[in-house]
Every structure is written in C-alpha cells, then in structure tokens.
Amino acid sequence: MSMNNAPNVFSDPNANRFQVNIINEGHDNNETAQEDVGSDPPHYEETSFTDETQNRLRISYRPGKKELYDNFLQNAEKTEASLHPYDTHTKMYYLQTFGHNTMDPVPKIDYYRNTGSISGNKLNRPSLLEIHEQLAKNIAVSTGSVERVANGESSAGDETAASKEEENKAGFVKFGWVKGVLVRCMLNIWGVMLFIRLSWIVGQAGIGLGIIVIALSVVVTTLTCISMSAICTNGVVRGGGAYYLISRSLGPEFGGSIGLIFAFANAVAVAMYVVGFAETVVELLKESDTLIVDESNDIRIIGTITVVCLLGITAAGMEWEAKAQVFLLFVLLIAIANFFIGTVIPTNTEKKARGFFNYQASIFAENFGPDFRSGEGFFSVFAIFFPAATGILAGANISGDLKDPQSAIPQGTMLAIVITTIAYIAVAICAASCVVRDATGNINDTIVPGMSCNGSSACGLGYDFSRCASQPCDYGLMNNFQVMSMVSGFGPLITAGIFSATLSSALASLVSAPKVFQALCKDNVYKGLEFFAKGYGKNNEPIRGYVLTFVIAMAFILIAELNTIAPIISNFFLASYALINFSCFHASYAKSPGWRPAFRYYNMWVSLFGALLCCGVMFVINWWAALITYAIELFLYIYVTYKKPEVNWGSSTQALYFVNALDSALALTTVEDHVKNFRPQCIALTGAPMIRPALLDITHTFTKNNGLCICCEVFMGPRKLCVKEMNSGMEKKQAWLTKNKRKAFYAAVAADSFRDGVKSLLQASGLGRMKPNTLVIGFKKDWRSAPATQIENYVGVIHDAFDFELGVIIVRISQGFDISQVLQVQEELERLEQERLALEATIKENEFEEGKRGICGFFKKASTLNISKHETKKESTINTMQSMHVGEFNQKLLEASTQFKKKQGKGTIDIWWLFDDGGLTILIPYILTIRKKWRNCKLRIFTGGKVNRIEEEKLVMASLLSKFRIKFADINIICDINIKPNKESWKFFEEMIEPYRLHESCKDITTAEKLKRETPWKITDAELEAFKEKSFRQVRLNELLQEHSRAANIIVLSLPVARKGAVSDYLYLAWLEILSKNLPPVLMVRGNHKNVLTFYS
C-alpha cells in the first residue's frame, strides 16, 4: 500500500485510530499487490478512540483505484444489500481491522450498554458463531450500514433508537454536583434544629458532650456516605436514589420493601417540615395578635397554602425547583452568618439580662460539662439531635436528574457533611461560649455590693440568676429556644433562616418522594402501581407522583398530629441508611468480580459496623418506632419475595447464593457417603422436559426436596445445527422447569448417537458429591417398529448405567410419555387463532375507515360486515371442529401425561421385591408414600418363597421391613413364580419375538453364518434356548401381576438384568414388554447392589 495516501489519513482531524477498511479481493489485485511489494513500504495506520460522533468508515485504496471505490460507495448508498462483511465470494469484499482480514471489532463502550440505555445506542458485536464459523454467503445488510457492520452492530431499529434518544435529550435538564447534590444536602441537613434546638442541646450536654453528640451523628451519616459512594461508583446510577442503590445491590426484595416506606417517609416529611414552617408563622401572628381563626386551624390553613405553592414550583419543572433551592440556601447562609456576626457585636443590658455576654472564658468553662435536667440524658439528647444530621440522601434521590451521578453523589454528599458538621459544631461552641444556661430576663437582677451569689459565671459578670435554681426561668440556653435570634445581629434574619430551612427541606422531600416512587413503579415490583410510573415533559417528571405526595402531605397536615409519627419517619430514614451500609458490606462479602467500585476508601467491615450502628440508633431514638419499622419492612419483604418480580439486576444476593452453593459443594466433597444419607439423585432422560411431563413428574415425586434431578436431552445430527439448537433452548427449558415449579436442572449434550450422548451425561453430570446415582428412563414403547440402531442405543444406555454403577428405573405407562404431537397441534391452533384475531382486527379497522365515507360507505360497511361475519363464523367452526377432533384423539394421552400430578386416592403401591438390589426397589415406593399426593396409598409387598415356608418367609420379610422402619399393609409370598406360564401367554411371547428370530437351526451352516453377520441383532435359537427359563419367568410374572396387582395405583418391580454379550437387545426388550404389559404404571427398578437402607442408628 502506497505511503502517498498516508498524509490524508493523518491530516484529517476526524480520522479514527481504528480503521476498518473495505478491500477488493478480486483476482486482478494479486498482480497489483505483487507490483507494490518492494516499491512502497507498508502503510501503518494510527489508531484513536476519540471523536466517536464522527466515526465514519475510512477506505484505504491503492493508487489508481480511487474511482473504483468511489463508484462502489455511490452504489452502496443507493442500493440495499450491497455489502456484507461475510460475503467474500460474490461481492469480493471483506472487512479489515488492524490491517488483518477479520470481523473482530475493536473494544467500544457501546457494546456494553443496556438495551434501554438513554446515554447511547447499544451496539451488537459479532457473535462467536459468526467469528468462529466459515464466512456465510449471500447475506445482505441494509443500505448505509457499512459502518455499523464494521462495528458489529445490528441495523434493525437503530434509526428508531437514535431518534428516540434525540427526543429524550432535547432540552433535558441535568444538574452538576454542586446544584444537584451539595446544595440539596446542605439545605436538608441544616434544618430547624440548627436554629431552635441546638442551643438547648449544648445546654443540656455541655460543649464536650454536645460535640460528641454531633460527632456520633456525623459518624453514622459519614459511614453511610462512604458505603453509598462505593455503590454509586460501581456502575451507572439511574433515577430512584436510595431505592435504586439498595434494589440493584440487594435485589428487589430489600429494594422494594425499603423503596415504598422511604417514598412514604419523604411524603410525610413534607407535612412535618410544612407544619414546622406554619408553626413559626403562627407564632409571629400570635405575637402581633393577628390570628386568622385559632392556633391549630391557622397551622392547617398556612400549611395547605404552603404545600400548594411548593407543588406549583415542583410541577413547573426541576429547573425552577433548583433555582428555588439556591435562593433558599442563600437566605440560610445569610442567617447563619448573621448569628456569627451577632456574637461579636457588643451586647446590651437587655441581652445581658437574657444571658448573652459575648465571648467569655468563664461561660465556656461553665458550659463545657453536662447539666442534664428534666430526666434527660445523653441518649435522649442524641435522639433529639440526630434527625438534624439526616438528609444526606437528598442529592441521591434525584440521581436520574444528575449529569454524572457516579461522581456527583459521593463528592457533593461528602462535602455537604463536612460543611454542615463544621457549622453545627461552630454554632454550638459559639452559643455555649456566649450565653449562660439560665437567665431571668430581668435587667434589675444585677449584683450589688454585699449581695451573695451562687458562684456562677453570671455572678462574675455582674448578674444574679440564682433564683432560676428554685423557679423556672424563660431565658438562657436551657430555657429559650430563640437563643440564635437573640444573639444574632438582626433577629428577623434568623426567622428567615427558619423559613428557608423548613421550606427547602419540604421542597426536597416533595421532589424526592415522587422520584423514588416513580422508579419503584417503573420496575413493577408491586403489581398495580404502574399508573405512577409515567413521566411527563423533557425531564420525565412524575406528575402523578407529585399529586399523590401532595395528597399524603395534605392528609397529615390536616391531622396535625405529627409528634407521634415523627419518630417512625426518622426510623424509616435510618432503615434506609442501614440497608445502604449493609448493601456495601454484602456486595463486598459476596466477592463478585462485578463489584469494582471506583471509590476505594471503603471497608466492608466498616460498612457492617455502620449498618449495626444505624439499627442501634433506631432503638435509641424510639424503640417502639424501630419495632414498627422492622415489622413493616419484614411484611413488605415477604410480600415481594412471595410475588417474585421478574427482574434480574445481578444483585449481591445472587452472587452470595453462588458463593454459598460453591462453599457447600466443596464442603460436601470432604464428607464421605453414608448409607443413612443416601437419597435418589436422578438423571432423567426426558428430552425437552415439556415433551415428557409424566416421566419428569414421577421422577420429581421422589427427588423433590430430597435429591438431585437432572432432565437430560441428547441432540443428534449435524454438529453445527445441534449445538445451535441446544444453546438456544437451554434457558427456555430451564425457565419452563422453574415456571412449573419443578425443582430440577436441565442439561443437554450434542452427540453422534443417543448412547454416546447419554454416556457423556452419565459420566459428567453433577458436581462433587451431588452426582446422579440413578438413571430414570421411559420404556421404549415403539421398539418393535424402531430401527435396530435405536434398539442397540437404548439397551446400550442401560448397560452403560450398570457399568458406571448407577441404579436404573424404567418407567412404563399405558399411553407412553411423548406428547410432542399434541404440543405441535396446540401451537398450530394457537397460531391459527392469532391469525384469526389479526384478520378480525384488520376487517374492523377497514370498516372504520370505510364508515367515514358517508352513506355509500355505510352500505359497503354493512355488506363487508355481513361477509366478514360469515367468514369468521366459518373459520371459527373449522377451528372448533379441529380442536374437538384433536382433543378427542389425544384425550387419553393428555390425561396420561398429567396422571402423576393428581392426588392419588386410597389404593396401594404394589412392590414386587424379587431380587435384593441394595434396597432401592423398596426405598423408592417408601419415598412416594411420604409425598402429599401419595399419602393415602398403602404399601403391599410381594416376594418369592417356598410353598412349605410361607409363614416363615412372611415373618422374615416383616422383621426386615420393621427394622428398616418402613410401614406396610400386607406381605404376600409368591410360591409359583418358576412354574411355566399358560400356553396363550407363551404363544403371545413367541409371536412377539418371531420377527426378530434368526432361526439358524433350520438353515445350513453357511447360510446361518451369513445371516449372523448381516443381522447380528437377531435372536438366535441357541440364545433363546439358553434363556428359556428366564423367558418363562418374565411371562409368568406378568400373569401374576395381572392376577394380584391389576388394581394397584402403581407397581414397583425388580428389573431383570441382561448379561452383556449374552442376551440380545431384542430379547431383553421382549422381556420388559411382556413383564409390564397391560398393567397400571410400572416402575422397573434395579439398584446398583450397594446398600441404600440400614437398620443401624
């Protein structure tokens, strides 16, 4: 390739570092290539990930070939299906990456997006099959899709997705970390507590313990923030705040339970903050004697007006709400600054009488220690202060409206905690350094010479407040909640700060509750709440959620009894903090490779400590509120668990399931098998589980909650098709088992033959000690018409199972197990019904269009309607006839396929325990009797014995069963097993095997030898004679079964074993056929001759 083209590539600022080139592979290029070799050095292309928006396909062409490529590109823009990367034979083009002929795309973020991503389109890389298999021929792509094909992206729906993304992004308001997180968190943390309770807290606890109270609260919020930062930086964060973080970490059960109560807590918090605002306003009205009605009703009136105004701000959009928050923060900062300024402004006589003396060392020293009064203590004071430290989730709750939640939430929340903590501590220290604990407010309480004083700091400053020890006073840190207003430079600014704190918190909660609730409803965790998932406008505003929050807030404002519910709301928030901490711990403990938070400053044990600390604080604040919170959360958790929402978020709970299962499996490998712990672990050859449901049902009956059950399918045929079909159906068939509540696994293999596939399954299925020990297979009902290779494979599977020391259970029911034909007919009828419904919908739509055209349309509509009715009626009749015909034809098969799902009435399970196989023949029916469906069935035991020892044999068997602790209804000793069957039965057996006999004794030696070579599977006369007694026994056993067990619910029978190389496959199947013919369901069982029962403790 000539270097003459290189300057064009490097000079283009939009050049993409990873070039995907279209190369003409025509035969004439070989000559050109040979000419170029040696004349020009190879062209090395630079690579760059930058400028993805200009990611256009660049073409490197050889000198003199530019016109050819220009012509190709022009045609490609006009003609569909003009290029495909696989088509190297017809179009002579392929894709080239890194200068190599490959479809492998370069790493790109768009391959890792979710389908519904709003930050960019998901691209689909070429599948492994497309990379691994030979290049396909004559496969086309859409016009202009060269670039998408080069990137491995499917063309279907891309334009729609792109346009939808543009619509979503048009005018979409996103906030940065300052406006979206920092401002909101600061406003929520700086609440009314700062202005009207902090002085009382520091008065009770003193400066030292007061700082500890603040620090302990901050420890809880900081630990929660650290855990939240780790979770936020472990992937893209969507809308939903705390609910989203918890649900994606711990799963829908925890997320759904906490999401609902968290949204409700925010809705009620709106009422709490608004009532706090209304109470302040009413106090001002009271001072000026301008109450509207009375004190309580004025709170309701002002609260209602306030909530309506706040709802208007939020309904106007997040941008307006953010502007309002910034304004309120500005007012709040001025109010706080006003307090600090007031502490250095020289005090006056009135303020001194109220206990304010500016900064005094004596006051600081006096107020440093605690002075708990009125039954207060450290924890009660802490419980009062702690709600002031909450509000750290205000930014996270609008995670869907942040530009970059992953960095904004940790950065903004942590900085908000630092700033607000400094402010709280500073205000507490300043207030306690300037104001004494008790003051009378009387300017005449000064100390005159000769007067004795109690020795307080006020005495040294010339005031005597000693009477406060014996009678209540109205001023000082302990008595006056308006200390900050008194100390401040301009009192009304503190009132404005209180207004700002209450309104900002109410506004944040009014936004948070609908946002969290909308995310919860979108996930459809609670059925019936989809109505509130709909969003409106450019920011997808949850208008319906706003209205619901407004209604809840109004209800609690009108009730106006918030003192009782306030502790519960605080506990709801604390429960959220606890689960956030626990989420971080759980994700770290699960050790999932997907847990890779960018925020590194966390520790899982610190997170666990934070979770426990939150739970402890809940009880410190209010023990009964904590219990109510846990009860509500537990109820919602159980509800969501029971409903099992169909979501998969890759939670740490799932990861921990895997870790626990792996640890248990590994631990189990160190435990040696013991006969007392034996349980049937079955590998059932059901094929697709929905094809042979009855075989799965009977297997599941004795493995459910007791042992391993693996439904296996063998795919035979061309390997490529088999593997593709197998891979595509794995999840679907396992999902079918889960949906139908079958506690079983699905496994499949692709093999050249049925026997090879089963052999692989028998050897490789299971894990550690959880490996199959019993093969369950259906009886091959069509063995007489099946090809000889199928018979050889079927009997070979039984031999292989015995070789691998597995027990074998062959199940036979009268109608057979395979219902695939019924399923095909049902699918066809469903398809026809869908087509009929679609046709009716089309006819109705045409009628509606024609009906718009006036009177002519009316008459045409009437005629069309009449015709369509006749057509529909005719089709419906045909479908009904087909359904009736199919239903009648397959009714018995359908009933047989569900017979093991039904509860068995009173009856018997007949056990023909003829040979001792280790006890599996008796254990299987015993397990059946402990199942709910078979509980009413009694065990009847049949075994062989001698005529002259019937009673002794009964006693021996009864003794054995009693030692095994197996209850039975009856024991029958069969003495005539070994006599010859009657002539009719034997004649039937001979006629059955006649087509498969060789009859070599009737032919000369040469002919006989030739027949043996050509048909080695046939039954020879020598073989039949050698096993004549055994054949007699099988025929005779069927006669006895017909006589004794024809009315049994199910028969469990010892399976005869055929010696390898001695008994032919057809003779063995003839034995099984005659043994189980014309009987109720039969389980022919043979253990691996190792004990599965014991009478030792």
mmCIF file of all heavy atoms in Angstrom, residues 122-151:
data_model
loop_
_atom_site.group_PDB
_atom_site.id
_atom_site.type_symbol
_atom_site.label_atom_id
_atom_site.label_comp_id
_atom_site.label_asym_id
_atom_site.label_seq_id
_atom_site.Cartn_x
_atom_site.Cartn_y
_atom_site.Cartn_z
ATOM 1 N N LYS A 122 -27.060 0.891 22.020
ATOM 2 C CA LYS A 122 -26.344 -0.369 22.232
ATOM 3 C C LYS A 122 -25.962 -0.943 20.881
ATOM 4 O O LYS A 122 -26.787 -1.038 19.969
ATOM 5 C CB LYS A 122 -27.227 -1.353 22.989
ATOM 6 C CG LYS A 122 -26.602 -2.752 23.101
ATOM 7 C CD LYS A 122 -27.512 -3.699 23.852
ATOM 8 C CE LYS A 122 -26.992 -5.127 23.800
ATOM 9 N NZ LYS A 122 -25.628 -5.275 24.343
ATOM 10 N N LEU A 123 -24.680 -1.311 20.738
ATOM 11 C CA LEU A 123 -24.223 -1.986 19.530
ATOM 12 C C LEU A 123 -24.077 -3.476 19.826
ATOM 13 O O LEU A 123 -23.772 -3.869 20.947
ATOM 14 C CB LEU A 123 -22.879 -1.414 19.077
ATOM 15 C CG LEU A 123 -22.815 0.097 18.837
ATOM 16 C CD1 LEU A 123 -21.462 0.471 18.263
ATOM 17 C CD2 LEU A 123 -23.923 0.552 17.898
ATOM 18 N N ASN A 124 -24.305 -4.284 18.808
ATOM 19 C CA ASN A 124 -24.187 -5.734 18.952
ATOM 20 C C ASN A 124 -22.951 -6.217 18.212
ATOM 21 O O ASN A 124 -22.876 -6.100 16.994
ATOM 22 C CB ASN A 124 -25.428 -6.434 18.397
ATOM 23 C CG ASN A 124 -26.668 -6.086 19.185
ATOM 24 O OD1 ASN A 124 -26.617 -5.978 20.399
ATOM 25 N ND2 ASN A 124 -27.775 -5.888 18.502
ATOM 26 N N ARG A 125 -22.011 -6.708 18.961
ATOM 27 C CA ARG A 125 -20.792 -7.216 18.329
ATOM 28 C C ARG A 125 -21.103 -8.530 17.621
ATOM 29 O O ARG A 125 -22.097 -9.186 17.949
ATOM 30 C CB ARG A 125 -19.701 -7.425 19.379
ATOM 31 C CG ARG A 125 -19.960 -8.535 20.324
ATOM 32 C CD ARG A 125 -18.812 -8.736 21.293
ATOM 33 N NE ARG A 125 -18.602 -7.616 22.177
ATOM 34 C CZ ARG A 125 -19.308 -7.375 23.269
ATOM 35 N NH1 ARG A 125 -20.310 -8.163 23.599
ATOM 36 N NH2 ARG A 125 -19.048 -6.344 24.029
ATOM 37 N N PRO A 126 -20.285 -8.930 16.648
ATOM 38 C CA PRO A 126 -20.500 -10.228 16.000
ATOM 39 C C PRO A 126 -20.474 -11.346 17.033
ATOM 40 O O PRO A 126 -19.695 -11.314 17.984
ATOM 41 C CB PRO A 126 -19.317 -10.342 15.030
ATOM 42 C CG PRO A 126 -18.864 -8.949 14.803
ATOM 43 C CD PRO A 126 -19.137 -8.209 16.060
ATOM 44 N N SER A 127 -21.350 -12.319 16.865
ATOM 45 C CA SER A 127 -21.391 -13.431 17.806
ATOM 46 C C SER A 127 -20.167 -14.315 17.604
ATOM 47 O O SER A 127 -19.486 -14.255 16.578
ATOM 48 C CB SER A 127 -22.663 -14.247 17.607
ATOM 49 O OG SER A 127 -22.617 -14.912 16.359
ATOM 50 N N LEU A 128 -19.906 -15.145 18.601
ATOM 51 C CA LEU A 128 -18.786 -16.077 18.497
ATOM 52 C C LEU A 128 -18.992 -17.029 17.330
ATOM 53 O O LEU A 128 -18.036 -17.434 16.666
ATOM 54 C CB LEU A 128 -18.648 -16.853 19.812
ATOM 55 C CG LEU A 128 -17.454 -17.801 19.908
ATOM 56 C CD1 LEU A 128 -16.150 -17.029 19.767
ATOM 57 C CD2 LEU A 128 -17.483 -18.560 21.222
ATOM 58 N N LEU A 129 -20.248 -17.369 17.068
ATOM 59 C CA LEU A 129 -20.550 -18.259 15.941
ATOM 60 C C LEU A 129 -20.152 -17.604 14.629
ATOM 61 O O LEU A 129 -19.594 -18.250 13.736
ATOM 62 C CB LEU A 129 -22.051 -18.594 15.943
ATOM 63 C CG LEU A 129 -22.505 -19.652 14.934
ATOM 64 C CD1 LEU A 129 -21.889 -21.003 15.254
ATOM 65 C CD2 LEU A 129 -24.022 -19.739 14.908
ATOM 66 N N GLU A 130 -20.438 -16.299 14.514
ATOM 67 C CA GLU A 130 -20.094 -15.586 13.272
ATOM 68 C C GLU A 130 -18.589 -15.471 13.100
ATOM 69 O O GLU A 130 -18.075 -15.515 11.977
ATOM 70 C CB GLU A 130 -20.719 -14.191 13.297
ATOM 71 C CG GLU A 130 -22.239 -14.224 13.227
ATOM 72 C CD GLU A 130 -22.863 -12.889 13.542
ATOM 73 O OE1 GLU A 130 -22.175 -12.016 14.122
ATOM 74 O OE2 GLU A 130 -24.041 -12.713 13.226
ATOM 75 N N ILE A 131 -17.864 -15.348 14.209
ATOM 76 C CA ILE A 131 -16.409 -15.254 14.134
ATOM 77 C C ILE A 131 -15.791 -16.624 13.887
ATOM 78 O O ILE A 131 -14.826 -16.765 13.137
ATOM 79 C CB ILE A 131 -15.844 -14.663 15.451
ATOM 80 C CG1 ILE A 131 -16.388 -13.251 15.688
ATOM 81 C CG2 ILE A 131 -14.328 -14.643 15.443
ATOM 82 C CD1 ILE A 131 -15.925 -12.237 14.688
ATOM 83 N N HIS A 132 -16.387 -17.638 14.506
ATOM 84 C CA HIS A 132 -15.779 -18.969 14.515
ATOM 85 C C HIS A 132 -16.071 -19.760 13.250
ATOM 86 O O HIS A 132 -15.214 -20.482 12.735
ATOM 87 C CB HIS A 132 -16.290 -19.736 15.748
ATOM 88 C CG HIS A 132 -15.620 -21.040 15.968
ATOM 89 N ND1 HIS A 132 -16.305 -22.199 16.267
ATOM 90 C CD2 HIS A 132 -14.311 -21.392 15.933
ATOM 91 C CE1 HIS A 132 -15.449 -23.187 16.392
ATOM 92 N NE2 HIS A 132 -14.237 -22.730 16.211
ATOM 93 N N GLU A 133 -17.315 -19.655 12.763
ATOM 94 C CA GLU A 133 -17.696 -20.441 11.595
ATOM 95 C C GLU A 133 -17.156 -19.818 10.311
ATOM 96 O O GLU A 133 -16.685 -18.679 10.289
ATOM 97 C CB GLU A 133 -19.228 -20.543 11.515
ATOM 98 C CG GLU A 133 -19.860 -21.292 12.668
ATOM 99 C CD GLU A 133 -19.543 -22.774 12.623
ATOM 100 O OE1 GLU A 133 -19.162 -23.259 11.540
ATOM 101 O OE2 GLU A 133 -19.656 -23.434 13.667
ATOM 102 N N GLN A 134 -17.282 -20.588 9.228
ATOM 103 C CA GLN A 134 -16.859 -20.069 7.930
ATOM 104 C C GLN A 134 -17.744 -18.916 7.522
ATOM 105 O O GLN A 134 -18.914 -18.830 7.919
ATOM 106 C CB GLN A 134 -16.942 -21.178 6.883
ATOM 107 C CG GLN A 134 -15.927 -22.298 7.094
ATOM 108 C CD GLN A 134 -15.996 -23.330 5.975
ATOM 109 O OE1 GLN A 134 -16.842 -23.222 5.092
ATOM 110 N NE2 GLN A 134 -15.114 -24.294 6.012
ATOM 111 N N LEU A 135 -17.182 -18.019 6.695
ATOM 112 C CA LEU A 135 -17.955 -16.860 6.262
ATOM 113 C C LEU A 135 -19.148 -17.304 5.440
ATOM 114 O O LEU A 135 -19.021 -18.112 4.522
ATOM 115 C CB LEU A 135 -17.078 -15.916 5.430
ATOM 116 C CG LEU A 135 -15.935 -15.243 6.202
ATOM 117 C CD1 LEU A 135 -15.104 -14.400 5.265
ATOM 118 C CD2 LEU A 135 -16.484 -14.405 7.328
ATOM 119 N N ALA A 136 -20.321 -16.778 5.799
ATOM 120 C CA ALA A 136 -21.535 -17.154 5.085
ATOM 121 C C ALA A 136 -21.601 -16.450 3.739
ATOM 122 O O ALA A 136 -20.942 -15.443 3.506
ATOM 123 C CB ALA A 136 -22.749 -16.798 5.928
ATOM 124 N N LYS A 137 -22.434 -16.973 2.864
ATOM 125 C CA LYS A 137 -22.575 -16.408 1.527
ATOM 126 C C LYS A 137 -23.937 -15.770 1.363
ATOM 127 O O LYS A 137 -24.917 -16.165 1.984
ATOM 128 C CB LYS A 137 -22.427 -17.504 0.461
ATOM 129 C CG LYS A 137 -21.069 -18.220 0.502
ATOM 130 C CD LYS A 137 -21.032 -19.297 -0.577
ATOM 131 C CE LYS A 137 -19.711 -20.061 -0.532
ATOM 132 N NZ LYS A 137 -19.671 -21.109 -1.571
ATOM 133 N N ASN A 138 -23.950 -14.753 0.490
ATOM 134 C CA ASN A 138 -25.223 -14.152 0.059
ATOM 135 C C ASN A 138 -26.073 -13.658 1.232
ATOM 136 O O ASN A 138 -27.272 -13.857 1.271
ATOM 137 C CB ASN A 138 -26.043 -15.149 -0.767
ATOM 138 C CG ASN A 138 -25.270 -15.636 -1.977
ATOM 139 O OD1 ASN A 138 -24.528 -14.868 -2.586
ATOM 140 N ND2 ASN A 138 -25.442 -16.900 -2.332
ATOM 141 N N ILE A 139 -25.427 -13.035 2.208
ATOM 142 C CA ILE A 139 -26.154 -12.427 3.307
ATOM 143 C C ILE A 139 -26.022 -10.928 3.161
ATOM 144 O O ILE A 139 -24.929 -10.411 2.985
ATOM 145 C CB ILE A 139 -25.603 -12.876 4.671
ATOM 146 C CG1 ILE A 139 -25.604 -14.404 4.748
ATOM 147 C CG2 ILE A 139 -26.395 -12.280 5.807
ATOM 148 C CD1 ILE A 139 -24.995 -14.938 6.001
ATOM 149 N N ALA A 140 -27.134 -10.247 3.230
ATOM 150 C CA ALA A 140 -27.126 -8.829 2.927
ATOM 151 C C ALA A 140 -27.332 -8.001 4.177
ATOM 152 O O ALA A 140 -27.845 -8.450 5.178
ATOM 153 C CB ALA A 140 -28.224 -8.498 1.921
ATOM 154 N N VAL A 141 -26.929 -6.725 4.077
ATOM 155 C CA VAL A 141 -27.186 -5.763 5.138
ATOM 156 C C VAL A 141 -27.902 -4.570 4.563
ATOM 157 O O VAL A 141 -27.989 -4.399 3.358
ATOM 158 C CB VAL A 141 -25.870 -5.306 5.810
ATOM 159 C CG1 VAL A 141 -25.248 -6.416 6.566
ATOM 160 C CG2 VAL A 141 -24.918 -4.740 4.787
ATOM 161 N N SER A 142 -28.420 -3.730 5.438
ATOM 162 C CA SER A 142 -29.206 -2.589 4.991
ATOM 163 C C SER A 142 -28.322 -1.525 4.387
ATOM 164 O O SER A 142 -27.116 -1.470 4.589
ATOM 165 C CB SER A 142 -29.981 -1.994 6.172
ATOM 166 O OG SER A 142 -30.778 -2.987 6.745
ATOM 167 N N THR A 143 -28.973 -0.620 3.640
ATOM 168 C CA THR A 143 -28.269 0.466 2.983
ATOM 169 C C THR A 143 -27.535 1.316 4.003
ATOM 170 O O THR A 143 -28.064 1.662 5.034
ATOM 171 C CB THR A 143 -29.277 1.347 2.224
ATOM 172 O OG1 THR A 143 -30.043 0.504 1.391
ATOM 173 C CG2 THR A 143 -28.573 2.410 1.420
ATOM 174 N N GLY A 144 -26.304 1.681 3.671
ATOM 175 C CA GLY A 144 -25.551 2.580 4.525
ATOM 176 C C GLY A 144 -25.136 1.992 5.845
ATOM 177 O O GLY A 144 -24.789 2.713 6.761
ATOM 178 N N SER A 145 -25.158 0.674 5.955
ATOM 179 C CA SER A 145 -24.832 0.064 7.239
ATOM 180 C C SER A 145 -23.399 -0.424 7.294
ATOM 181 O O SER A 145 -23.054 -1.216 8.151
ATOM 182 C CB SER A 145 -25.781 -1.092 7.518
ATOM 183 O OG SER A 145 -25.620 -2.089 6.543
ATOM 184 N N VAL A 146 -22.546 0.039 6.395
ATOM 185 C CA VAL A 146 -21.166 -0.432 6.359
ATOM 186 C C VAL A 146 -20.471 -0.180 7.680
ATOM 187 O O VAL A 146 -19.825 -1.047 8.249
ATOM 188 C CB VAL A 146 -20.401 0.269 5.209
ATOM 189 C CG1 VAL A 146 -18.937 -0.121 5.247
ATOM 190 C CG2 VAL A 146 -21.019 -0.091 3.880
ATOM 191 N N GLU A 147 -20.685 1.037 8.196
ATOM 192 C CA GLU A 147 -20.012 1.373 9.451
ATOM 193 C C GLU A 147 -20.527 0.530 10.601
ATOM 194 O O GLU A 147 -19.768 0.039 11.428
ATOM 195 C CB GLU A 147 -20.230 2.850 9.763
ATOM 196 C CG GLU A 147 -19.586 3.271 11.063
ATOM 197 C CD GLU A 147 -19.891 4.709 11.390
ATOM 198 O OE1 GLU A 147 -20.484 5.395 10.551
ATOM 199 O OE2 GLU A 147 -19.537 5.115 12.496
ATOM 200 N N ARG A 148 -21.849 0.333 10.644
ATOM 201 C CA ARG A 148 -22.424 -0.444 11.742
ATOM 202 C C ARG A 148 -21.976 -1.888 11.661
ATOM 203 O O ARG A 148 -21.714 -2.521 12.681
ATOM 204 C CB ARG A 148 -23.952 -0.359 11.725
ATOM 205 C CG ARG A 148 -24.469 1.014 12.113
ATOM 206 C CD ARG A 148 -25.937 0.927 12.463
ATOM 207 N NE ARG A 148 -26.748 0.469 11.346
ATOM 208 C CZ ARG A 148 -27.244 1.271 10.429
ATOM 209 N NH1 ARG A 148 -26.998 2.561 10.469
ATOM 210 N NH2 ARG A 148 -27.983 0.790 9.456
ATOM 211 N N VAL A 149 -21.886 -2.432 10.453
ATOM 212 C CA VAL A 149 -21.414 -3.804 10.303
ATOM 213 C C VAL A 149 -19.960 -3.908 10.742
ATOM 214 O O VAL A 149 -19.554 -4.858 11.405
ATOM 215 C CB VAL A 149 -21.572 -4.274 8.841
ATOM 216 C CG1 VAL A 149 -20.885 -5.591 8.635
ATOM 217 C CG2 VAL A 149 -23.038 -4.386 8.485
ATOM 218 N N ALA A 150 -19.182 -2.887 10.411
ATOM 219 C CA ALA A 150 -17.785 -2.894 10.821
ATOM 220 C C ALA A 150 -17.641 -2.903 12.327
ATOM 221 O O ALA A 150 -16.701 -3.448 12.877
ATOM 222 C CB ALA A 150 -17.065 -1.675 10.250
ATOM 223 N N ASN A 151 -18.601 -2.309 13.000
ATOM 224 C CA ASN A 151 -18.571 -2.277 14.460
ATOM 225 C C ASN A 151 -19.344 -3.424 15.069
ATOM 226 O O ASN A 151 -19.528 -3.472 16.277
ATOM 227 C CB ASN A 151 -19.135 -0.952 14.972
ATOM 228 C CG ASN A 151 -18.184 0.187 14.699
ATOM 229 O OD1 ASN A 151 -17.039 0.143 15.135
ATOM 230 N ND2 ASN A 151 -18.621 1.190 13.969
#
